[in-house]
Amino acid sequence: MESTRQSKVAKQIQKDISDIFSKEGADLVKGAMVTVTAVRMSPDLGYAKIYLSIFPFEKSKAIMDAVTQQEWRIRKALGSRIRNQLRIVPELTFFLDDSLEYIENIDNLLR
């Protein structure tokens, strides 16, 4: 069960990471639409699991590789945004959220 502090920090990080992808990380996404679907924080707020949804689905592998390689740059940009709210900038781990692809597959099967 997440504490209130964890959920508040997770929402703030989700907002900031999505803003980073839309403004500063345009070269990372290479014309694809990247959405931050969820952020899960550790109890000590030292680690953040960030789930990304990528459209079109064909580019998801290449974009996830680019995001993983540039993780330090994203963390640095996040640190400059939350430096007054948090004492430690959390370690970021990115995961692919393929729930939209799964929903589309089910929809196609039902047709």
Side-chain angles (χ1 to χ4, degrees), residues 14 33-40 49-57 60-61 63-64 93-104:
Q14 181 177 3
M33 185 174 75
V34 176
T35 306
V36 180
T37 56
V39 175
R40 304 277 186 252
K49 292 181 181 178
I50 300 171
Y51 295 91
L52 302 177
S53 177
I54 300 170
F55 184 79
F57 307 121
S60 62
K61 174 82 171 118
I63 291 176
M64 283 303 292
T93 309
F94 293 96
F95 296 98
L96 182 64
D97 182 12
D98 58 354
S99 60
L100 290 177
E101 185 176 5
Y102 179 74
I103 291 170
E104 184 178 321

Side-chain angles (χ1 to χ4, degrees), residues 13-94:
I13 288 177
Q14 181 177 3
K15 181 180 155 287
D16 288 338
I17 292 287
S18 64
D19 194 41
I20 288 168
F21 277 127
S22 66
K23 293 179 182 170
E24 300 168 22
D27 59 329
L28 288 176
V29 298
K30 300 175 185 105
M33 185 174 75
V34 176
T35 306
V36 180
T37 56
V39 175
R40 304 277 186 252
M41 297 298 299
S42 66
D44 65 349
L45 304 177
Y47 298 97
K49 292 181 181 178
I50 300 171
Y51 295 91
L52 302 177
S53 177
I54 300 170
F55 184 79
F57 307 121
E58 297 81 30
K59 293 184 175 183
S60 62
K61 174 82 171 118
I63 291 176
M64 283 303 292
D65 290 340
V67 166
T68 304
Q69 289 175 355
Q70 295 295 316
E71 186 177 305
W72 63 272
R73 192 172 114 194
I74 298 168
R75 185 173 182 226
K76 181 179 176 186
L78 178 66
S80 68
R81 291 168 189 257
I82 63 169
R83 68 176 173 253
N84 296 327
Q85 287 90 15
L86 292 177
R87 199 173 53 125
I88 298 172
V89 179
E91 294 283 329
L92 305 178
T93 309
F94 293 96

